[in-house]
Amino acid sequence: ASSEPPPNNPFVSMLGDLASSILPSSGGVVELNKGLDSSIERATLTSWDDICTKLESLQTTPEERNFRSHVVEQGYGDVGSPLQKMRLYDESNKESDIRITFYRDHASWCPYCQKVWFALEEKRIPYRIEKVNMNCYGSKPREFLQMQPGGQIPVAVIDGRVYGSSNEILSALESEFPKHKSLAPSDGSKARQLLQLEGSLAGAWLGWLRGSGGDSRRYFQDTLDKVDEALSEGGGPFFMGKDVTLVDVQFLSFLERACASMLYFKGFKIRGETDKYPAINRWFDALEDRPSYQITKSDYYTHVWDLPPQLGGCFAEPRGEPYRSVINGNNWELPLKEDDTEPTWGSWAYGDDDSAAKREAVERLSYNHKAIVRFASRGGGKKGMPPVQAPLSDPNATSNDAVQIGIDVVLRIVSSKLLSDDEETTLMMTQLRNSIDSKEDYIKTLVSSLAYLRDRIGVPRDMRLPAARQLRAHLNWAIHILEE
Protein backbone atom coordinates (compact mmCIF):
# COMPACT_ATOMS: atom_id res chain seq x y z
CA ALA A 1 0.00 0.00 0.00
CA SER A 2 1.18 3.52 -0.75
CA SER A 3 1.88 5.87 2.12
CA GLU A 4 3.00 9.39 2.79
CA PRO A 5 6.60 9.99 3.85
CA PRO A 6 6.88 10.26 7.61
CA PRO A 7 6.75 13.92 8.66
CA ASN A 8 9.49 15.47 10.78
CA ASN A 9 6.75 16.89 12.96
CA PRO A 10 4.28 14.17 13.96
CA PHE A 11 1.43 16.68 13.72
CA VAL A 12 2.27 18.20 10.34
CA SER A 13 -0.21 15.99 8.50
CA MET A 14 -2.95 17.04 10.90
CA LEU A 15 -2.65 20.83 10.83
CA GLY A 16 -4.66 21.64 7.71
CA ASP A 17 -7.33 24.24 8.41
CA LEU A 18 -6.43 24.33 12.09
CA ALA A 19 -2.96 25.84 11.57
CA SER A 20 -4.14 29.31 12.55
CA SER A 21 -4.96 28.20 16.06
CA ILE A 22 -1.93 25.98 16.62
CA LEU A 23 0.90 27.91 15.01
CA PRO A 24 1.96 31.36 16.33
CA SER A 25 -0.36 34.23 15.39
CA SER A 26 0.64 36.15 12.27
CA GLY A 27 -1.03 39.36 13.42
CA GLY A 28 0.85 42.44 14.55
CA VAL A 29 1.11 43.80 18.08
CA VAL A 30 -2.32 44.67 19.51
CA GLU A 31 -2.46 46.93 22.56
CA LEU A 32 -5.27 47.91 24.91
CA ASN A 33 -7.52 50.56 23.42
CA LYS A 34 -10.40 51.72 25.64
CA GLY A 35 -11.98 53.72 22.86
CA LEU A 36 -12.02 50.68 20.56
CA ASP A 37 -13.39 48.52 23.37
CA SER A 38 -16.25 50.97 23.92
CA SER A 39 -17.09 50.88 20.22
CA ILE A 40 -17.06 47.07 20.25
CA GLU A 41 -19.30 46.94 23.32
CA ARG A 42 -21.99 48.89 21.45
CA ALA A 43 -22.38 46.00 18.97
CA THR A 44 -24.76 44.27 21.40
CA LEU A 45 -26.83 45.37 24.37
CA THR A 46 -27.31 41.74 25.43
CA SER A 47 -25.52 40.96 28.71
CA TRP A 48 -24.58 37.59 30.10
CA ASP A 49 -27.40 38.00 32.62
CA ASP A 50 -29.81 38.48 29.73
CA ILE A 51 -28.47 35.32 28.09
CA CYS A 52 -28.87 33.30 31.30
CA THR A 53 -32.45 34.56 31.70
CA LYS A 54 -33.25 33.63 28.10
CA LEU A 55 -31.62 30.21 28.54
CA GLU A 56 -33.65 29.47 31.67
CA SER A 57 -36.88 30.38 29.86
CA LEU A 58 -36.09 27.86 27.12
CA GLN A 59 -34.92 24.93 29.25
CA THR A 60 -37.60 22.27 29.06
CA THR A 61 -36.63 19.62 31.64
CA PRO A 62 -35.65 19.55 35.31
CA GLU A 63 -32.36 17.94 34.25
CA GLU A 64 -31.46 21.02 32.22
CA ARG A 65 -32.63 23.55 34.80
CA ASN A 66 -30.92 21.80 37.70
CA PHE A 67 -27.73 20.79 35.89
CA ARG A 68 -25.36 22.86 38.03
CA SER A 69 -26.99 22.37 41.42
CA HIS A 70 -28.15 18.79 41.07
CA VAL A 71 -25.63 17.14 38.75
CA VAL A 72 -22.39 19.12 39.02
CA GLU A 73 -22.45 20.28 42.64
CA GLN A 74 -24.31 17.42 44.34
CA GLY A 75 -23.14 14.62 42.05
CA TYR A 76 -26.61 13.30 41.31
CA GLY A 77 -28.18 12.01 38.10
CA ASP A 78 -28.41 8.72 36.23
CA VAL A 79 -26.01 10.22 33.69
CA GLY A 80 -23.16 12.04 35.36
CA SER A 81 -20.96 14.82 34.06
CA PRO A 82 -17.19 15.18 33.58
CA LEU A 83 -17.57 18.47 35.47
CA GLN A 84 -18.45 16.70 38.72
CA LYS A 85 -16.06 16.71 41.67
CA MET A 86 -17.94 13.96 43.45
CA ARG A 87 -20.40 11.32 42.32
CA LEU A 88 -23.32 10.22 44.49
CA TYR A 89 -25.88 9.17 41.81
CA ASP A 90 -28.94 9.87 43.99
CA GLU A 91 -30.08 11.08 47.41
CA SER A 92 -29.67 7.62 48.95
CA ASN A 93 -25.91 8.24 49.03
CA LYS A 94 -24.21 10.84 51.21
CA GLU A 95 -20.85 12.50 50.87
CA SER A 96 -19.79 10.69 54.06
CA ASP A 97 -20.35 7.40 52.20
CA ILE A 98 -17.50 8.11 49.77
CA ARG A 99 -14.55 5.74 50.24
CA ILE A 100 -12.76 6.40 46.94
CA THR A 101 -10.81 9.32 45.58
CA PHE A 102 -10.29 8.80 41.85
CA TYR A 103 -7.39 10.65 40.21
CA ARG A 104 -7.84 11.10 36.47
CA ASP A 105 -6.63 13.53 33.83
CA HIS A 106 -8.03 17.05 33.38
CA ALA A 107 -8.69 16.66 29.65
CA SER A 108 -10.47 13.26 29.80
CA TRP A 109 -7.95 11.85 27.32
CA CYS A 110 -6.43 8.95 29.28
CA PRO A 111 -7.71 5.52 28.08
CA TYR A 112 -6.83 3.81 31.35
CA CYS A 113 -8.71 6.45 33.32
CA GLN A 114 -11.72 5.84 31.11
CA LYS A 115 -11.75 2.16 32.06
CA VAL A 116 -11.88 2.94 35.78
CA TRP A 117 -14.36 5.79 35.26
CA PHE A 118 -16.69 3.49 33.34
CA ALA A 119 -16.42 0.74 35.97
CA LEU A 120 -17.17 3.12 38.84
CA GLU A 121 -20.25 4.36 37.01
CA GLU A 122 -21.39 0.88 36.02
CA LYS A 123 -21.10 -0.33 39.62
CA ARG A 124 -22.57 2.96 40.93
CA ILE A 125 -19.92 3.31 43.60
CA PRO A 126 -19.80 6.82 45.12
CA TYR A 127 -16.45 8.51 44.54
CA ARG A 128 -14.61 11.80 44.69
CA ILE A 129 -12.67 13.14 41.69
CA GLU A 130 -9.28 14.82 41.64
CA LYS A 131 -7.80 15.86 38.29
CA VAL A 132 -4.14 16.01 37.33
CA ASN A 133 -2.26 16.70 34.10
CA MET A 134 -1.03 14.03 31.75
CA ASN A 135 2.70 14.25 31.07
CA CYS A 136 2.04 15.37 27.48
CA TYR A 137 0.37 18.60 28.58
CA GLY A 138 1.80 19.57 31.93
CA SER A 139 3.39 18.64 35.21
CA LYS A 140 1.84 16.97 38.20
CA PRO A 141 1.62 18.48 41.69
CA ARG A 142 4.19 17.44 44.27
CA GLU A 143 1.52 15.90 46.50
CA PHE A 144 0.48 13.55 43.73
CA LEU A 145 4.07 12.52 42.97
CA GLN A 146 4.64 11.75 46.64
CA MET A 147 1.72 9.33 46.45
CA GLN A 148 2.54 8.00 42.94
CA PRO A 149 6.29 8.56 42.34
CA GLY A 150 6.14 7.49 38.71
CA GLY A 151 3.35 9.95 38.00
CA GLN A 152 1.14 7.44 36.14
CA ILE A 153 -2.61 7.75 36.12
CA PRO A 154 -5.17 6.60 37.02
CA VAL A 155 -4.77 6.35 40.77
CA ALA A 156 -7.43 5.50 43.32
CA VAL A 157 -7.21 5.89 47.05
CA ILE A 158 -9.65 3.45 48.66
CA ASP A 159 -10.03 3.56 52.45
CA GLY A 160 -6.60 5.21 52.62
CA ARG A 161 -4.81 2.65 50.45
CA VAL A 162 -3.26 3.73 47.15
CA TYR A 163 -3.91 1.69 43.99
CA GLY A 164 -1.61 2.83 41.21
CA SER A 165 -2.81 1.20 37.98
CA SER A 166 -6.10 0.64 36.21
CA ASN A 167 -5.92 -3.12 36.66
CA GLU A 168 -5.22 -2.81 40.37
CA ILE A 169 -8.11 -0.40 40.76
CA LEU A 170 -10.54 -2.58 38.79
CA SER A 171 -9.62 -5.57 40.92
CA ALA A 172 -10.07 -3.56 44.13
CA LEU A 173 -13.49 -2.33 43.03
CA GLU A 174 -14.59 -5.96 42.82
CA SER A 175 -13.05 -7.11 46.10
CA GLU A 176 -13.71 -4.04 48.27
CA PHE A 177 -17.28 -3.33 47.20
CA PRO A 178 -19.04 -6.72 47.21
CA LYS A 179 -22.51 -5.18 47.68
CA HIS A 180 -22.29 -3.36 44.37
CA LYS A 181 -22.88 -4.89 40.95
CA SER A 182 -20.17 -7.39 40.06
CA LEU A 183 -18.36 -7.04 36.75
CA ALA A 184 -16.47 -10.31 37.19
CA PRO A 185 -16.97 -12.69 34.23
CA SER A 186 -18.78 -15.91 35.08
CA ASP A 187 -16.49 -17.99 32.83
CA GLY A 188 -12.91 -17.26 33.87
CA SER A 189 -11.30 -19.41 31.18
CA LYS A 190 -13.21 -17.70 28.37
CA ALA A 191 -12.50 -14.29 29.89
CA ARG A 192 -8.75 -14.97 29.92
CA GLN A 193 -8.84 -15.91 26.23
CA LEU A 194 -10.73 -12.72 25.41
CA LEU A 195 -8.30 -10.60 27.40
CA GLN A 196 -5.43 -12.13 25.44
CA LEU A 197 -7.30 -11.09 22.30
CA GLU A 198 -7.65 -7.58 23.72
CA GLY A 199 -3.88 -7.44 24.16
CA SER A 200 -3.39 -8.59 20.58
CA LEU A 201 -5.83 -5.97 19.34
CA ALA A 202 -4.04 -3.20 21.22
CA GLY A 203 -0.71 -4.26 19.75
CA ALA A 204 -2.13 -4.56 16.24
CA TRP A 205 -3.82 -1.17 16.46
CA LEU A 206 -0.73 0.64 17.74
CA GLY A 207 1.50 -1.19 15.27
CA TRP A 208 -0.42 0.06 12.25
CA LEU A 209 -1.25 3.46 13.75
CA ARG A 210 2.40 4.30 14.28
CA GLY A 211 3.62 2.67 11.07
CA SER A 212 2.71 2.24 7.41
CA GLY A 213 0.37 -0.33 5.84
CA GLY A 214 1.31 -3.73 4.47
CA ASP A 215 1.78 -6.40 7.11
CA SER A 216 0.67 -4.14 9.97
CA ARG A 217 -2.59 -3.39 8.16
CA ARG A 218 -3.30 -7.05 7.50
CA TYR A 219 -2.50 -8.00 11.10
CA PHE A 220 -4.88 -5.36 12.42
CA GLN A 221 -7.66 -6.44 10.06
CA ASP A 222 -7.19 -10.11 10.95
CA THR A 223 -7.27 -9.31 14.67
CA LEU A 224 -10.34 -7.11 14.30
CA ASP A 225 -12.09 -9.95 12.46
CA LYS A 226 -11.36 -12.19 15.45
CA VAL A 227 -12.81 -9.60 17.82
CA ASP A 228 -16.02 -9.40 15.79
CA GLU A 229 -16.22 -13.19 15.69
CA ALA A 230 -15.69 -13.44 19.46
CA LEU A 231 -18.49 -10.96 20.09
CA SER A 232 -20.82 -12.93 17.81
CA GLU A 233 -20.02 -16.21 19.52
CA GLY A 234 -20.74 -14.73 22.95
CA GLY A 235 -24.39 -14.19 22.07
CA GLY A 236 -24.01 -10.46 22.57
CA PRO A 237 -24.31 -7.72 22.60
CA PHE A 238 -21.36 -7.84 25.03
CA PHE A 239 -18.36 -10.14 25.06
CA MET A 240 -19.71 -12.46 27.76
CA GLY A 241 -23.37 -12.20 26.79
CA LYS A 242 -26.18 -9.86 27.74
CA ASP A 243 -24.41 -7.74 30.36
CA VAL A 244 -21.18 -5.81 30.74
CA THR A 245 -18.20 -7.46 32.42
CA LEU A 246 -14.56 -6.54 33.00
CA VAL A 247 -13.83 -7.93 29.54
CA ASP A 248 -15.85 -5.11 27.98
CA VAL A 249 -14.17 -2.63 30.31
CA GLN A 250 -10.77 -3.67 28.98
CA PHE A 251 -11.81 -3.48 25.33
CA LEU A 252 -13.78 -0.24 25.30
CA SER A 253 -11.01 2.37 25.52
CA PHE A 254 -8.81 1.04 22.73
CA LEU A 255 -11.70 0.10 20.45
CA GLU A 256 -13.20 3.58 20.83
CA ARG A 257 -9.86 5.17 19.95
CA ALA A 258 -9.23 2.73 17.11
CA CYS A 259 -12.49 3.75 15.43
CA ALA A 260 -11.43 7.40 15.41
CA SER A 261 -7.73 7.04 14.67
CA MET A 262 -7.89 4.37 11.97
CA LEU A 263 -10.43 6.40 10.02
CA TYR A 264 -8.46 9.62 10.37
CA PHE A 265 -4.94 8.36 9.79
CA LYS A 266 -5.59 5.32 7.58
CA GLY A 267 -9.01 5.78 5.99
CA PHE A 268 -10.11 2.49 7.60
CA LYS A 269 -13.71 2.54 8.80
CA ILE A 270 -15.11 0.43 11.66
CA ARG A 271 -18.18 2.25 12.99
CA GLY A 272 -20.95 2.16 10.44
CA GLU A 273 -19.46 -0.87 8.66
CA THR A 274 -22.28 -3.13 9.79
CA ASP A 275 -21.67 -5.69 7.05
CA LYS A 276 -17.98 -6.12 7.84
CA TYR A 277 -18.13 -5.71 11.62
CA PRO A 278 -21.76 -6.30 12.67
CA ALA A 279 -21.01 -7.51 16.19
CA ILE A 280 -18.60 -4.66 16.99
CA ASN A 281 -21.19 -2.13 15.84
CA ARG A 282 -23.91 -3.80 17.93
CA TRP A 283 -21.52 -3.74 20.90
CA PHE A 284 -20.98 0.01 20.54
CA ASP A 285 -24.71 0.58 20.12
CA ALA A 286 -25.34 -1.31 23.36
CA LEU A 287 -22.62 0.59 25.21
CA GLU A 288 -24.05 3.92 24.09
CA ASP A 289 -27.35 3.01 25.75
CA ARG A 290 -25.58 2.85 29.13
CA PRO A 291 -25.15 5.98 31.28
CA SER A 292 -21.81 4.56 32.43
CA TYR A 293 -20.44 4.87 28.90
CA GLN A 294 -22.26 8.06 27.94
CA ILE A 295 -20.40 10.11 30.56
CA THR A 296 -16.97 8.95 29.34
CA LYS A 297 -17.49 8.87 25.54
CA SER A 298 -15.33 11.17 23.43
CA ASP A 299 -15.57 12.27 19.79
CA TYR A 300 -13.29 11.53 16.83
CA TYR A 301 -11.82 15.03 16.71
CA THR A 302 -10.69 14.97 20.33
CA HIS A 303 -9.18 11.50 20.01
CA VAL A 304 -7.19 12.10 16.83
CA TRP A 305 -5.57 15.12 18.43
CA ASP A 306 -5.00 13.63 21.88
CA LEU A 307 -3.44 10.36 20.68
CA PRO A 308 -0.25 11.57 18.89
CA PRO A 309 1.23 13.36 21.92
CA GLN A 310 0.49 10.31 24.08
CA LEU A 311 2.01 7.89 21.56
CA GLY A 312 4.86 9.98 20.17
CA GLY A 313 3.20 10.44 16.78
CA CYS A 314 0.89 8.65 14.35
CA PHE A 315 1.56 7.82 10.70
CA ALA A 316 -0.92 9.35 8.25
CA GLU A 317 -1.64 7.55 4.98
CA PRO A 318 -3.29 9.05 1.85
CA ARG A 319 -6.49 6.99 2.26
CA GLY A 320 -7.31 8.99 5.36
CA GLU A 321 -7.13 12.43 3.75
CA PRO A 322 -10.86 12.82 2.97
CA TYR A 323 -11.71 11.85 6.53
CA ARG A 324 -9.02 14.11 8.01
CA SER A 325 -10.60 17.05 6.25
CA VAL A 326 -14.04 16.30 7.68
CA ILE A 327 -12.89 15.46 11.21
CA ASN A 328 -10.69 18.57 11.30
CA GLY A 329 -13.76 20.69 10.77
CA ASN A 330 -14.51 21.41 7.14
CA ASN A 331 -18.17 20.65 7.94
CA TRP A 332 -18.30 22.93 11.00
CA GLU A 333 -20.45 25.31 9.01
CA LEU A 334 -24.01 26.58 9.32
CA PRO A 335 -26.37 25.04 8.57
CA LEU A 336 -24.83 21.92 10.03
CA LYS A 337 -25.16 18.86 7.83
CA GLU A 338 -25.05 15.25 8.91
CA ASP A 339 -22.57 12.84 7.32
CA ASP A 340 -21.59 9.26 7.99
CA THR A 341 -18.01 9.98 9.06
CA GLU A 342 -18.89 9.65 12.74
CA PRO A 343 -22.06 7.99 14.04
CA THR A 344 -24.74 10.38 15.27
CA TRP A 345 -25.02 10.54 19.04
CA GLY A 346 -28.38 9.51 20.44
CA SER A 347 -31.16 11.32 22.27
CA TRP A 348 -29.24 11.00 25.55
CA ALA A 349 -26.83 13.64 24.18
CA TYR A 350 -29.47 15.68 22.31
CA GLY A 351 -28.27 14.08 19.11
CA ASP A 352 -31.83 14.33 17.79
CA ASP A 353 -32.61 17.78 19.25
CA ASP A 354 -30.57 20.65 17.85
CA SER A 355 -32.22 23.21 20.13
CA ALA A 356 -31.30 21.27 23.27
CA ALA A 357 -27.73 20.77 22.02
CA LYS A 358 -27.46 24.53 21.46
CA ARG A 359 -28.73 25.18 24.98
CA GLU A 360 -26.07 22.86 26.38
CA ALA A 361 -23.40 24.88 24.57
CA VAL A 362 -24.81 28.16 25.89
CA GLU A 363 -24.99 26.81 29.44
CA ARG A 364 -21.29 25.98 29.36
CA LEU A 365 -20.38 29.37 27.85
CA SER A 366 -22.55 31.50 30.10
CA TYR A 367 -21.66 29.79 33.36
CA ASN A 368 -17.91 30.19 32.90
CA HIS A 369 -17.66 33.07 30.42
CA LYS A 370 -14.94 35.05 32.21
CA ALA A 371 -12.51 32.13 32.31
CA ILE A 372 -13.41 31.14 28.73
CA VAL A 373 -12.65 34.65 27.47
CA ARG A 374 -9.26 34.61 29.19
CA PHE A 375 -8.55 31.16 27.78
CA ALA A 376 -9.51 32.13 24.23
CA SER A 377 -7.30 35.21 24.35
CA ARG A 378 -4.28 32.91 24.48
CA GLY A 379 -4.85 32.51 20.75
CA GLY A 380 -3.86 36.13 20.31
CA GLY A 381 -1.11 35.98 22.92
CA LYS A 382 2.25 34.25 23.14
CA LYS A 383 3.01 30.55 23.04
CA GLY A 384 3.99 29.03 26.34
CA MET A 385 7.54 28.28 27.38
CA PRO A 386 8.54 25.62 27.91
CA PRO A 387 6.19 24.10 25.31
CA VAL A 388 4.27 20.86 25.88
CA GLN A 389 3.84 17.91 23.53
CA ALA A 390 0.09 18.25 23.01
CA PRO A 391 -0.71 20.88 20.34
CA LEU A 392 -4.19 21.49 21.75
CA SER A 393 -2.85 22.23 25.21
CA ASP A 394 -0.64 25.14 26.15
CA PRO A 395 -0.87 25.71 29.92
CA ASN A 396 2.04 28.17 29.88
CA ALA A 397 0.62 30.42 27.15
CA THR A 398 0.20 34.15 27.78
CA SER A 399 -3.21 35.72 27.24
CA ASN A 400 -3.72 38.92 25.25
CA ASP A 401 -5.81 41.31 27.33
CA ALA A 402 -6.26 43.68 24.38
CA VAL A 403 -8.81 41.42 22.65
CA GLN A 404 -10.75 40.17 25.65
CA ILE A 405 -13.60 42.67 25.25
CA GLY A 406 -13.90 41.66 21.60
CA ILE A 407 -13.97 37.96 22.49
CA ASP A 408 -16.57 38.55 25.18
CA VAL A 409 -18.85 40.46 22.81
CA VAL A 410 -18.52 37.79 20.09
CA LEU A 411 -19.35 35.04 22.57
CA ARG A 412 -22.44 36.94 23.72
CA ILE A 413 -23.58 37.32 20.11
CA VAL A 414 -22.83 33.64 19.41
CA SER A 415 -24.83 32.64 22.50
CA SER A 416 -27.72 34.81 21.34
CA LYS A 417 -27.66 33.15 17.92
CA LEU A 418 -27.58 29.70 19.50
CA LEU A 419 -30.72 30.55 21.48
CA SER A 420 -32.55 32.54 18.81
CA ASP A 421 -31.38 32.17 15.25
CA ASP A 422 -32.68 35.43 13.82
CA GLU A 423 -31.38 38.24 11.63
CA GLU A 424 -30.62 40.43 14.62
CA THR A 425 -27.56 38.39 15.57
CA THR A 426 -26.13 38.77 12.07
CA LEU A 427 -26.68 42.53 12.32
CA MET A 428 -24.84 42.53 15.68
CA MET A 429 -21.84 40.71 14.21
CA THR A 430 -21.81 43.01 11.20
CA GLN A 431 -21.88 46.07 13.48
CA LEU A 432 -18.97 44.62 15.45
CA ARG A 433 -17.06 44.00 12.23
CA ASN A 434 -17.70 47.57 11.06
CA SER A 435 -16.52 49.00 14.40
CA ILE A 436 -13.07 47.44 13.88
CA ASP A 437 -12.98 47.66 10.09
CA SER A 438 -9.73 49.61 9.90
CA LYS A 439 -7.98 47.62 12.63
CA GLU A 440 -6.52 44.76 10.57
CA ASP A 441 -4.17 43.52 13.30
CA TYR A 442 -6.98 43.54 15.84
CA ILE A 443 -9.24 41.52 13.53
CA LYS A 444 -6.48 38.94 12.93
CA THR A 445 -5.83 38.63 16.64
CA LEU A 446 -9.54 38.33 17.45
CA VAL A 447 -10.02 35.67 14.78
CA SER A 448 -6.98 33.76 16.07
CA SER A 449 -8.48 33.82 19.57
CA LEU A 450 -11.86 32.53 18.40
CA ALA A 451 -10.18 29.78 16.34
CA TYR A 452 -8.06 28.87 19.37
CA LEU A 453 -11.23 28.35 21.41
CA ARG A 454 -13.07 26.52 18.61
CA ASP A 455 -10.27 24.00 18.18
CA ARG A 456 -10.01 23.27 21.90
CA ILE A 457 -13.62 22.41 22.68
CA GLY A 458 -13.05 19.00 24.22
CA VAL A 459 -15.49 16.08 24.29
CA PRO A 460 -16.51 14.93 26.89
CA ARG A 461 -14.52 17.39 29.05
CA ASP A 462 -16.45 20.53 28.05
CA MET A 463 -19.68 19.23 26.51
CA ARG A 464 -21.09 16.38 24.46
CA LEU A 465 -20.56 16.11 20.72
CA PRO A 466 -23.88 17.56 19.45
CA ALA A 467 -23.33 20.69 21.58
CA ALA A 468 -19.67 20.86 20.56
CA ARG A 469 -20.57 20.70 16.86
CA GLN A 470 -23.05 23.53 17.29
CA LEU A 471 -20.57 25.73 19.13
CA ARG A 472 -17.73 25.02 16.69
CA ALA A 473 -19.96 25.87 13.73
CA HIS A 474 -21.33 29.03 15.35
CA LEU A 475 -17.81 30.24 16.14
CA ASN A 476 -16.97 29.72 12.47
CA TRP A 477 -20.04 31.76 11.55
CA ALA A 478 -18.66 34.65 13.61
CA ILE A 479 -15.15 34.20 12.19
CA HIS A 480 -16.44 34.33 8.60
CA ILE A 481 -18.18 37.67 9.25
CA LEU A 482 -15.05 39.11 10.84
CA GLU A 483 -12.95 38.01 7.86
CA GLU A 484 -15.28 39.50 5.22
Side-chain angles (χ1 to χ4, degrees), residues 204-205 208-209 220 257-268:
W205 165 55
W208 187 19
L209 183 60
F220 175 77
R257 285 156 180 77
C259 290
S261 59
M262 286 310 189
L263 188 65
Y264 185 90
F265 290 102
K266 310 297 182 181
F268 184 88

Side-chain angles (χ1 to χ4, degrees), residues 131-204:
K131 297 175 185 176
V132 296
N133 291 331
M134 295 183 76
N135 291 334
C136 63
Y137 62 78
S139 57
K140 294 182 172 67
R142 180 182 302 176
E143 295 80 7
F144 180 82
L145 293 174
Q146 289 174 343
M147 176 178 62
Q148 176 82 323
Q152 301 95 335
I153 49 176
V155 168
V157 178
I158 304 175
D159 297 332
R161 180 177 174 180
V162 177
Y163 296 84
S165 73
S166 60
N167 285 342
E168 286 184 6
I169 298 168
L170 293 171
S171 176
L173 296 184
E174 291 299 304
S175 62
E176 300 300 317
F177 296 88
K179 294 183 180 180
H180 290 260
K181 173 184 177 179
S182 175
L183 298 179
S186 57
D187 186 337
S189 176
K190 181 180 178 182
R192 284 190 291 273
Q193 291 177 357
L194 288 168
L195 292 176
Q196 288 178 346
L197 179 59
E198 188 272 338
S200 298
L201 177 67

Side-chain angles (χ1 to χ4, degrees), residues 70-71 74-80 84 87-91 93:
H70 191 75
V71 177
Q74 294 178 295
Y76 296 150
D78 287 335
V79 180
Q84 289 169 327
R87 189 74 168 108
L88 296 178
Y89 306 97
D90 56 42
E91 291 83 349
N93 295 309

Side-chain angles (χ1 to χ4, degrees), residues 451-468:
Y452 185 93
L453 174 61
R454 174 200 66 200
D455 298 340
R456 288 161 178 79
I457 298 167
V459 177
R461 180 194 63 193
D462 303 318
M463 59 193 72
R464 295 172 294 192
L465 177 58

Side-chain angles (χ1 to χ4, degrees), residues 324-341:
R324 286 195 283 278
S325 178
V326 173
I327 293 170
N328 274 348
N330 79 348
N331 63 350
W332 297 345
E333 301 291 344
L334 297 178
L336 275 171
K337 297 178 181 178
E338 295 296 336
D339 63 69
D340 62 355
T341 302

Side-chain angles (χ1 to χ4, degrees), residues 61 63-64 67 78-82 256 271 284-299 342-353 356-357 360 364 459-460 463-467:
T61 65
E63 288 76 17
E64 279 191 271
F67 174 73
D78 287 335
V79 180
S81 167
E256 180 183 305
R271 290 302 313 271
F284 271 114
D285 290 342
L287 279 176
E288 288 163 5
D289 283 338
R290 307 183 82 85
S292 51
Y293 184 64
Q294 293 166 6
I295 186 179
T296 74
K297 178 178 168 61
S298 187
D299 70 333
E342 181 169 3
T344 302
W345 287 29
S347 58
W348 58 271
Y350 306 139
D352 57 355
D353 187 343
E360 180 177 331
R364 304 301 189 269
V459 177
M463 59 193 72
R464 295 172 294 192
L465 177 58

Side-chain angles (χ1 to χ4, degrees), residues 462-475:
D462 303 318
M463 59 193 72
R464 295 172 294 192
L465 177 58
R469 290 184 72 236
Q470 291 289 346
L471 183 51
R472 291 161 179 165
H474 280 74
L475 287 170

